Amino acid sequence: MYEKFQTLCSNASRIAIISHTNPDGDAIGSGLALTRFLRDIYPNNKSRFFVPNHFPQFLAWADPEGDVEVFKENVAEAEAFLAAADLIIIVDFNQTSRLEQMSKALDMNLFAPRVLIDHHINPPQYDLMFHSAASSSTAFLVYELIVSIAGEEVINKSIAEALYLGMMSDTGGFSFGNLTPALYRTLAVLVERGLNPVEINRAFYNTQSEDRVRLMGYLVSEKMVVKSAKRAAYITLDDAEKEKYKFQIGDSEGIVNIPLSVNGIDFSAFMMQTKECIKISLRSVGDLDVNVICNEHFNGGGHRNAAGGKFFGTMEQAVVKVEAVIAGL
Ligand code: 5GP
Ligand code: MN
C-alpha cells in the first residue's frame, strides 16, 4: 500500500491535496503536514493544498507561508490545477458533497487516481485508501503514512506542528476519542522532532477574537437549554446574534462541546442559522451514536460521538425537531 502511494506520488507531476468545506484543525493540520512532506521528498512535483472556503482566523498561525489555498478566492486558477492534476489526495472527509462548489472542478478530472486518507466511517471506494475509523484524527493517519515511507527523521518542526494541530483538535486537546498508546508514542516523536506543545496550545486556545469570547459567554448564559432528565442540552444561534457578535467563519467551533461540561449531560446539540440551512452539530458521550441520529434526521453523518448535518426549515422548526430527538433518547 505504502509502495503504491510512493509510486503514485513519484509519477505525478501535479498533486492536488484537498480537504473539506469549513476546514477544521484536523483538515488544515493533516493537509499541511502532507503537503510539506510531499514537497520535501518530491521537490520536482508540484504539490498544492486546496480547501473550498476560508479556514478560521484562530488557525491563521498554522499557515505562516500561505500554503493553504482557498478555492473560493481564486476559482479559475484552482479549477485549472484541479482539472489537470494527475493525483488527487483527499484528506479528512469522504463525501464530495462536503466540497460544495469545489466538487465541480473535481468532477472535470476523470483521469487522476484518487487517494483517501480519512477516519470518517463508511468511506466510498477510492483507488488507494488509508482509512481507519478507529483513528482519533486524520493527522494520525498522515503521520503513520509519513513514517512508513520515510521514517521519523523526515519530520521537521513545521510538519510536527501541523500533525499535532490535527491530533489535538480532533481529540479536544487529547480529552476524548481513541487516545491510544500509539498516539502518545507519536506525540513523543513529534516533540523529539521539534514540536513545542506549549507554543501550539497557546496559539490554538488563546488567539480568539474578543467578539468570539463574548459570544460564547452570551450563548452559555442566555441560550443553553438543559433537559436534565434526558441528560441533554442544546444551544441555538441565529443570524441576528451572529451579526451582533460580528460572527466570522470558525467562531462556532467548539460551541457544541460546551453543554457537555455540565455534570450529567451526555448529549449536546448546536443549531446555527446559515444562508442555506440550519447547520446541526451533535456530540455525545459514551455509547449514544449521534452519527446514526444525523443520518436519520439531519441529512448528515460523522462519527459516533461527533456528527453533523443540515435541517431545512426555520430555527423554530429545527428546535422542535431536536427536542423530539431528545425526547426519544
Ligand atoms: P461539526 O459538528 O464539528 O460540524 O462536525 C462534526 C463531524 O460531523 C465532522 O467531523 C463530520 O464528520 C461530520 N459532519 C458535520 N457536518 C456534516 C454534514 O453536513 N454531513 C456529513 N455527512 N457529515 C457531517
Ligand atoms: Mn478529522
Side-chain angles (χ1 to χ4, degrees):
M1 221 164 63
Y2 295 118
E3 274 152 40
K4 187 169 177 196
F5 183 77
Q6 283 173 285
T7 308
L8 286 173
C9 291
S10 50
N11 291 340
S13 55
R14 287 174 301 268
I15 304 176
I17 296 123
I18 56 173
S19 197
H20 59 80
T21 302
N22 300 330
D24 56 11
D26 193 27
I28 295 299
S30 52
L32 274 177
L34 186 66
T35 306
R36 289 169 181 165
F37 166 70
L38 291 176
R39 284 178 182 167
D40 286 348
I41 65 161
Y42 301 109
N44 297 325
N45 301 349
K46 201 140 186 53
S47 299
R48 291 171 62 175
F49 175 33
F50 297 93
V51 292
N53 64 347
H54 219 284
F55 55 91
Q57 176 56 35
F58 74 87
L59 293 178
W61 55 270
D63 184 28
E65 312 287 331
D67 291 327
V68 184
E69 301 189 50
V70 178
F71 179 83
K72 248 187 186 166
E73 285 177 0
N74 202 350
V75 177
E77 156 72 15
E79 259 177 4
F81 188 85
L82 290 172
D86 36 29
L87 180 62
I88 294 171
I89 306 178
I90 292 164
V91 296
D92 198 40
F93 73 102
N94 65 38
Q95 292 177 337
T96 40
S97 63
R98 295 200 72 203
L99 287 177
E100 294 179 357
Q101 69 276 52
M102 204 163 96
S103 66
K104 273 197 219 110
L106 283 175
D107 290 344
M108 291 191 295
N109 187 327
L110 296 172
F111 66 92
R114 296 187 183 200
V115 178
L116 177 83
I117 310 174
D118 185 40
H119 65 141
H120 294 89
I121 48 185
N122 301 328
Q125 197 58 42
Y126 288 90
D127 300 301
L128 183 61
M129 327 240 304
F130 299 91
H131 179 269
S132 167
S135 179
S136 54
S137 63
T138 295
F140 181 72
L141 298 173
V142 170
Y143 171 82
E144 286 187 320
L145 179 65
I146 290 176
V147 292
S148 302
I149 291 173
E152 293 168 7
E153 299 69 34
V154 78
I155 296 177
N156 57 26
K157 188 175 190 218
S158 69
I159 293 176
E161 287 176 348
L163 291 170
Y164 181 73
L165 165 63
M167 294 171 189
M168 74 182 291
S169 33
D170 267 24
T171 57
F174 308 102
S175 63
F176 54 75
N178 206 2
L179 304 179
T180 58
L183 176 64
Y184 285 100
R185 283 194 195 100
T186 300
L187 295 175
V189 172
L190 297 185
V191 174
E192 281 167 356
R193 301 304 308 160
L195 166 74
N196 179 346
V198 174
E199 239 172 53
I200 302 302
N201 294 346
R202 190 182 299 134
F204 188 83
Y205 293 112
N206 296 346
T207 57
Q208 304 179 49
S209 68
E210 180 182 339
D211 282 312
R212 141 97 180 174
V213 176
R214 291 195 186 281
L215 171 65
M216 304 264 272
Y218 161 73
L219 293 176
V220 170
S221 68
E222 308 290 322
K223 300 297 299 286
M224 186 167 72
V225 177
V226 177
K227 307 273 183 190
S228 308
K230 289 288 177 185
R231 306 180 66 84
Y234 65 82
I235 291 175
T236 61
L237 176 61
D238 65 27
D239 279 343
E241 293 161 329
K242 284 165 84 174
E243 201 180 320
K244 180 169 177 209
Y245 289 93
K246 303 188 190 69
F247 186 90
Q248 306 282 322
I249 282 185
D251 281 356
S252 55
E253 195 72 29
I255 290 172
V256 65
N257 294 317
I258 295 172
L260 295 180
S261 55
V262 177
N263 188 23
I265 298 300
D266 45 31
F267 172 88
S268 167
F270 174 57
M271 289 162 263
M272 181 172 77
Q273 192 173 11
T274 69
K275 256 184 254 147
E276 185 206 1
C277 64
I278 306 290
K279 183 80 189 81
I280 309 282
S281 284
L282 300 184
R283 296 291 184 273
S284 66
V285 178
D287 291 340
L288 181 60
D289 192 335
V290 289
N291 169 59
V292 170
I293 295 177
C294 279
N295 266 316
E296 276 178 16
H297 300 285
F298 299 113
N299 308 292
H303 315 268
R304 187 182 60 180
N305 296 128
K310 295 170 175 168
F311 178 85
F312 297 96
T314 64
M315 181 63 88
E316 290 70 27
Q317 290 165 336
V319 168
V320 169
K321 178 103 186 182
V322 165
E323 290 212 348
V325 167
I326 289 173
L329 290 177

